[in-house]
Amino acid sequence: RGFIQSYLIRYQPNDDRKRQIYIVSVPATDSSVVIDGLDPDKSYSVSISASTNAGQGNFTEVIIVDEQESSLFQLRVGPFTSCEEWSISIENSIKSFIRSVLVYTVKDYCDCGFLDSFIANETLLCDTQNPTQAVYRAQVFNFGSISSTQIVSWIEDWVLNGASVTSGPILVTFDPTCPVPLNSIN
């Protein structure tokens, strides 16, 4: 009845008393999609429908997607001139830079398609004892069959082996004395 033109992904949190349903349209040329804004502590009901010239097909049976395992980690980074007077845009640029470096690093370890969307809840805290350094904290989620603890282990190994990154004239180093795995973000 025609070629598939797009897919509709219907999802809703399983504990949502409002029973609000969300729908995302995905072009048929896309082989995957990342749905942003999901709460990793919730499970979701998901179903998919294909659309052709003849119209939209029936939705699949509901698939339950459970909360995703995640691990917390931190990195001490620097040197900076001083992190005490950073603006939000500078802070966001540094977080984005670190996230990009981490994605590249994880991809190097696993030779996989790890994405920055598997890193969330980032904070960047100025070290008040040493304002030339900051502590980056974040949460990383399982990626396919790779556990979040394995990903943190790779990041820790990279830091312990003298991690540093050059961005233009700036050399950013990652302090190997700062413990990488965390039990809580506080």
Side-chain angles (χ1 to χ4, degrees):
R1 313 223 205 294
F3 293 102
I4 295 175
Q5 296 175 329
S6 65
Y7 296 95
L8 292 179
I9 300 174
R10 181 174 63 187
Y11 66 97
Q12 73 182 89
N14 288 329
D15 65 349
D16 188 1
R17 297 191 199 292
K18 299 175 196 170
R19 309 305 282 168
Q20 185 164 2
I21 296 173
Y22 302 91
I23 296 181
V24 175
S25 180
V26 180
T29 55
D30 289 2
S31 61
S32 66
V33 65
V34 175
I35 301 173
D36 292 321
L38 298 181
D39 184 340
D41 295 326
K42 292 184 179 181
S43 66
Y44 291 82
S45 296
V46 180
S47 58
I48 302 168
S49 169
S51 296
T52 67
N53 291 347
Q56 181 181 330
N58 294 329
F59 278 92
T60 62
E61 286 188 37
V62 171
I63 301 164
I64 303 296
V65 179
D66 289 325
E67 54 196 66
Q68 203 171 9
E69 180 192 327
S70 66
S71 298
L72 302 172
F73 68 98
Q74 69 180 357
L75 304 168
R76 183 178 309 278
V77 297
F80 303 104
T81 51
S82 176
C83 58
E84 293 177 312
E85 298 176 14
W86 280 348
S87 67
I88 296 294
S89 64
I90 290 174
E91 188 175 313
N92 287 339
S93 294
I94 293 170
K95 285 193 282 191
S96 177
F97 172 73
I98 293 170
R99 187 178 339 104
S100 296
V101 168
L102 291 173
V103 167
Y104 178 80
T105 299
V106 170
K107 283 181 175 181
D108 202 33
Y109 273 85
C110 68
D111 192 27
C112 60
F114 187 76
L115 303 169
D116 66 356
S117 58
F118 289 94
I119 299 173
N121 300 320
E122 301 168 290
T123 59
L124 191 64
L125 308 167
C126 185
D127 184 339
T128 54
Q129 303 298 314
N130 181 1
T132 64
Q133 298 210 342
V135 176
Y136 171 89
R137 292 182 177 159
Q139 183 176 19
V140 66
F141 294 94
N142 288 356
F143 175 71
S145 63
I146 303 169
S147 75
S148 60
T149 53
Q150 178 62 61
I151 294 168
V152 170
S153 172
W154 288 333
I155 293 169
E156 183 175 34
D157 183 58
W158 177 69
V159 169
L160 291 173
N161 282 303
S164 65
V165 178
T166 303
S167 177
I170 301 168
L171 173 68
V172 178
T173 59
F174 296 83
D175 183 354
T177 64
C178 178
V180 175
L182 281 177
N183 293 325
S184 74
I185 216 95
N186 296 326

